[in-house]
Amino acid sequence: MNSVDLTPLYRSSIGFDRLASLLDSALTSDATPSGYPPYNIEIIDDNRYAITLAVAGFSHDELDIQVEKGVLTVRGSQRSKDEREYLYHGIANRTFERKFNLADYVEVTHADLSNGLLTIDLVKEIPEAMKPKSIAINTKAQAIEHKADGEKVTKADKAA
């Protein structure tokens, strides 16, 4: 695969560093990511999402969830080694790390582990300053008219 150099993008733009970094990491990441643990991403509402990971065999204290610089990281590591002897060992309970890039203003609100499924709730909270707002149109504006002798008269003066 050919590599793409994004250096010109860094030196000619200001404030788009995160976008360029995201593109750069997407192009340089491992082409065959691990499929473990399997996960779902669902849209609950316009501004609510949920990530569900299948983490069978992991307890609360063996899972770690962190958010740093817009990246949600979920790690799992088995602390106790199982000394059992298996005829067939099909349940994968190996150490894992999953990363999810979060959009701006997406916050993790809650995590729940139930029946081997870890569900992480996310909410997109746009600040009031960023939300669109309506501007009222003032209909009582005073227009200035000019008389021939250079005197300024407003419409309010005419009505009087």
Side-chain angles (χ1 to χ4, degrees), residues 88-124:
Y88 175 74
H89 190 101
I91 299 173
N93 54 4
R94 60 185 179 259
T95 300
F96 70 88
E97 178 177 280
R98 275 275 185 196
K99 294 188 178 196
F100 302 92
N101 292 314
L102 302 177
D104 292 336
Y105 312 116
V106 173
E107 300 291 329
V108 177
T109 59
H110 183 261
D112 181 45
L113 180 62
S114 177
N115 298 326
L117 297 175
L118 175 67
T119 303
I120 302 169
D121 296 324
L122 307 164
V123 174
K124 184 173 186 177

Side-chain angles (χ1 to χ4, degrees), residues 4-91:
V4 177
D5 184 21
L6 297 175
T7 306
L9 185 61
Y10 285 115
R11 68 174 176 239
S12 64
S13 64
I14 298 171
F16 295 97
D17 305 337
R18 186 168 185 262
L19 177 63
S21 298
L22 188 64
L23 285 171
D24 196 29
S25 67
L27 292 173
T28 59
S29 67
D30 188 14
T32 58
S34 170
Y36 182 77
Y39 64 93
N40 293 333
I41 301 175
E42 59 183 306
I43 300 173
I44 308 291
D45 210 323
D46 285 341
N47 293 325
R48 292 180 45 225
Y49 306 91
I51 299 173
T52 304
L53 291 98
V55 291
F58 286 88
S59 64
H60 286 83
D61 58 338
E62 295 172 332
L63 296 170
D64 180 39
I65 303 170
Q66 294 182 358
V67 178
E68 183 179 355
K69 296 182 181 178
V71 177
L72 169 65
T73 305
V74 181
R75 290 183 187 91
S77 60
Q78 295 275 324
R79 290 197 173 89
S80 62
K81 291 293 179 187
D82 196 4
E83 298 297 327
R84 297 179 188 177
E85 185 176 333
Y86 293 98
L87 291 176
Y88 175 74
H89 190 101
I91 299 173

